[in-house]
Amino acid sequence: MKKYIKYIVLFVIIIVIFILGFFIYKNMFADSVNSRYKDIENYKLTNNEKNSVKDKINELENIKSVKVYKDSKIIKIVVKLEEDINFESIKTKANEAITSFSEENLSYYDLELFIESSNKESEVYPQIGYKFKTNSEFAW
């Protein structure tokens, strides 16, 4: 009989630990997922904004492709180069391109700019620029 009481007590303790662990885990991470998408429906990234950014970056030579998309609260811009170009010119053009976004979107979204070169032996690329929503230009 004592043996059964030990097993029952042990079983109840395991169940209580499991329930407490579940609620603690759920409460710790509940807000982190929801805040990533909070009010995102109020900040639409338009095709006009995307195309304007692409056009601005395509003004540079040797641009193979430009892709603009959003991923949660981050607008990602991926630039692929045919061959290496002057990094200072692309930095300048990237900061000009962000003016294509509305002020509302710039105050809501962070921006990431990925620059890749087709030149496998490039010493300059890849490069990544990041613009926090309160900053006025990219940091590299």
Side-chain angles (χ1 to χ4, degrees), residues 42-53:
N42 298 330
Y43 300 92
K44 300 290 184 192
L45 185 61
T46 66
N47 284 333
N48 189 30
E49 289 173 314
K50 292 179 192 177
N51 291 333
S52 182
V53 169

Side-chain angles (χ1 to χ4, degrees), residues 3-19:
K3 191 176 187 180
Y4 291 115
I5 293 175
K6 286 181 183 180
Y7 287 128
I8 291 172
V9 169
L10 183 62
F11 181 73
V12 169
I13 290 172
I14 290 172
I15 295 296
V16 168
I17 290 172
F18 177 75
I19 291 171

Side-chain angles (χ1 to χ4, degrees), residues 28-100:
M28 282 177 55
F29 297 105
D31 191 44
S32 65
V33 173
N34 293 337
S35 67
R36 266 177 96 182
Y37 297 101
K38 184 177 181 185
D39 297 329
I40 201 163
E41 66 278 352
N42 298 330
Y43 300 92
K44 300 290 184 192
L45 185 61
T46 66
N47 284 333
N48 189 30
E49 289 173 314
K50 292 179 192 177
N51 291 333
S52 182
V53 169
K54 290 177 184 179
D55 291 343
K56 185 64 81 171
I57 293 175
N58 277 320
E59 291 174 3
L60 294 168
E61 295 180 4
N62 298 320
I63 302 295
K64 185 175 185 179
S65 67
V66 180
K67 184 178 177 184
V68 180
Y69 63 97
K70 69 177 183 175
D71 182 15
S72 66
K73 291 174 85 172
I74 301 173
I75 297 173
K76 297 189 178 197
I77 305 166
V78 180
V79 178
K80 295 189 179 181
L81 304 172
E82 291 285 347
E83 57 187 59
D84 291 2
I85 62 174
N86 183 323
F87 182 57
E88 290 302 316
S89 64
I90 203 158
K91 283 170 57 174
T92 302
K93 194 57 74 173
N95 287 323
E96 289 176 19
I98 62 176
T99 62
S100 301

